[in-house]
Amino acid sequence: MVLQAIKYTLGRLQILDQLQLPHKEVYQNIADVEDAWHAIKDMRVRGAPAIAIVAALSLAVELLNKKNSHGTGHETKDYIVKRLDYLVTSRPTAVNLADAARKLEKRVTAVAAEDQDIQGSLVEDSYITAAQDMLVDDVEDNEKIGSHGASWILKLPKAGGDRQVSVLTHCNTGSLATAGYGTALGVIRSLDHLRRLNCAYYTETRPYNQGSRLTGYELLHDSIPCTLITDSMAAALLSLKGETQNIVAVIVGADRVAANGDTANKIGTYALAILARHHGVKFLVAAPRTTIDLGTSTGEGIIIEERPSREMTVMKGPRMRSDDHGAPAVDTTVVEEVSTAAIGTQAWNPAFDVTPANLIDGIVTEVGVFEKEDGMFRLEKAFSCDS
């Protein structure tokens, strides 16, 4: 059973607190927009698709539990737009959030415009239905991304003759980062389902360790063959094990893809793209169309969030101990912070970097894999395809 980062029923939303993984599975209630804003900002929920879904559903829950409290239909529409604008400020780099807010604003604005005297409850119902549809659509899109990506990889020459393949991934792009299944990790799941995966290598992904904490947790949970490396080992991995382990691709997710294919993703992605090109390994970005921002022409227009330097200089986790048999065990009752740098250290901590399109071999979406045409991505074609 795939892990659930988001649990939703009508009027109730819960998220899996990812700051407590991999040692504790703790679900937290999200009762309103403020709860969601802080959960996103604190990274208790993360991953561009999951952020958008949680934000949208948090307002649905708020509206349902505060029924008929926002006046007329037009007053309700104005309230919804204001709350969505606030949610977008929680994570400016993740285009899925802004895209979801824009679509939901358009929906309620259209409904309110149908009748000057429309009741507020009807505008609320329209919003709630649209937000719930986004949850269902995200899971379906992820499964299609996984299938398309796996098919593309298995057509590579190094995958010929039913040969098993290995891949390298970065950060967390699985069911914990989406409504379910995953984007880049969805491709890995599909390869494993087809019994063509030799090993999924994954980086620890400093400084928040989403790879070692979250991706490793998902892969082990699903019994997918996997091996952890530090971020700085990627070059050595491709050099020393690329041939013997048949590492054919680096697969990553995305927080925003510009119109030309430049891709913002977790810090360290750009370096992996350079390494992949040097070693002749394909570099794939896996993301739903909601992550493609045709309004941003190149990566230069993408805002890069910078996070507190303390995330780099301090690590938090449960205390390790030995059990009665001398084997290592985790004591989840004692969580400690450990300093990893000299007191007073100043650190630069961008959350993302931008990988230039010329280093990307393919962009996997729910409607297929897009490759360059005459040296350029034509991502507008993704929106003229049926899913």
Side-chain angles (χ1 to χ4, degrees):
M1 180 179 178
V2 175
L3 289 166
Q4 277 187 285
I6 302 167
K7 290 184 176 181
Y8 174 79
T9 54
L10 190 63
R12 188 181 188 200
L13 173 64
Q14 292 182 304
I15 61 164
L16 182 59
D17 183 358
Q18 298 189 27
L19 295 181
Q20 300 196 50
L21 291 174
H23 306 295
K24 277 186 177 181
E25 283 190 26
V26 177
Y27 284 89
Q28 297 181 343
N29 289 321
I30 302 295
D32 53 29
V33 163
E34 273 75 22
D35 283 353
W37 192 96
H38 287 289
I40 294 167
K41 194 69 175 177
D42 297 343
M43 294 183 72
R44 282 177 280 139
V45 60
R46 23 92 25 229
I51 286 169
I53 298 299
V54 167
L57 290 176
S58 72
L59 181 50
V61 169
E62 179 178 297
L63 291 171
L64 193 68
N65 293 334
K66 297 178 181 177
K67 200 72 173 174
N68 299 322
S69 61
H70 306 120
T72 68
H74 292 278
E75 289 171 339
T76 299
K77 182 264 293 181
D78 290 343
Y79 177 84
I80 289 172
V81 170
K82 182 179 179 181
R83 297 300 267 168
L84 288 171
D85 288 345
Y86 170 65
L87 281 164
V88 170
T89 66
S90 64
R91 210 78 201 272
T93 305
V95 69
N96 303 60
L97 176 54
D99 180 73
R102 184 170 59 249
K103 289 175 179 175
L104 291 166
E105 287 178 12
K106 185 177 179 180
R107 172 72 172 266
V108 296
T109 299
V111 171
E114 291 175 359
D115 183 352
Q116 194 67 26
D117 299 318
I118 192 170
Q119 296 178 355
S121 60
L122 295 178
V123 177
E124 290 178 353
D125 290 345
S126 174
Y127 175 89
I128 292 167
T129 298
Q132 291 175 158
D133 288 345
M134 286 183 171
L135 176 66
V136 175
D137 291 345
D138 188 64
V139 176
E140 293 178 352
D141 289 346
N142 288 339
E143 291 175 347
K144 292 174 183 176
I145 289 170
S147 178
H148 290 311
S151 295
W152 191 90
I153 287 172
L154 293 178
K155 291 177 183 176
L156 295 174
K158 291 182 180 179
D162 292 333
R163 195 177 174 198
Q164 285 199 321
V165 299
S166 295
V167 296
L168 170 62
T169 192
H170 187 59
C171 198
N172 176 255
T173 58
S175 56
L176 296 175
T178 64
Y181 202 72
T183 54
L185 205 54
V187 176
I188 291 171
R189 281 195 167 95
S190 293
L191 288 169
D192 183 63
H193 179 73
L194 295 169
R195 299 185 179 181
R196 295 293 299 278
L197 181 70
N198 174 56
C199 183
Y201 291 93
Y202 61 102
T203 63
E204 63 176 346
T205 318
R206 287 281 293 147
Y208 237 62
N209 297 321
Q210 293 103 320
S212 58
R213 289 191 302 107
L214 306 179
T215 296
Y217 186 62
E218 284 200 54
L219 292 169
L220 292 169
H221 179 276
D222 291 357
S223 300
I224 295 174
C226 58
T227 300
L228 170 68
I229 65 169
T230 66
D231 296 13
S232 56
M233 292 176 184
L237 174 72
L238 297 180
S239 175
L240 300 176
K241 290 185 175 289
E243 291 295 329
T244 59
Q245 297 300 309
N246 199 26
I247 302 174
V248 300
V250 176
I251 314 171
V252 301
D255 284 81
R256 186 182 295 252
V257 180
N260 73 334
D262 291 349
T263 297
N265 193 49
K266 180 55 57 184
I267 191 72
T269 302
Y270 183 12
L272 289 177
I274 294 171
L275 293 175
R277 179 60 54 89
H278 178 75
H279 289 281
V281 171
K282 297 297 184 182
F283 189 88
L284 286 178
V285 171
R289 288 180 294 180
T290 53
T291 307
I292 299 172
D293 181 8
L294 296 180
T296 299
S297 58
T298 72
E300 292 182 357
I302 298 176
I303 298 171
I304 300 298
E305 176 187 359
E306 294 191 14
R307 296 191 59 83
S309 61
R310 192 171 188 275
E311 292 180 358
M312 290 180 62
T313 61
V314 174
M315 296 186 74
K316 181 190 291 185
R319 178 184 294 173
M320 291 294 297
R321 61 176 178 81
S322 297
D323 64 16
D324 295 339
H325 304 287
V330 175
D331 183 358
T332 57
T333 64
V334 181
V335 177
E336 298 177 325
E337 290 188 339
V338 178
S339 175
T340 60
I343 300 299
T345 295
Q346 297 298 309
W348 177 54
N349 186 18
F352 308 94
D353 56 28
V354 176
T355 300
N358 66 339
L359 293 175
I360 299 170
D361 293 295
I363 297 174
V364 189
T365 74
E366 66 272 29
V367 295
V369 181
F370 290 86
E371 301 178 52
K372 299 186 191 77
E373 300 175 21
D374 299 323
M376 297 179 63
F377 284 110
R378 309 287 182 184
L379 295 178
E380 68 277 3
K381 292 184 177 181
F383 297 90
S384 61
C385 300
D386 295 328
S387 59

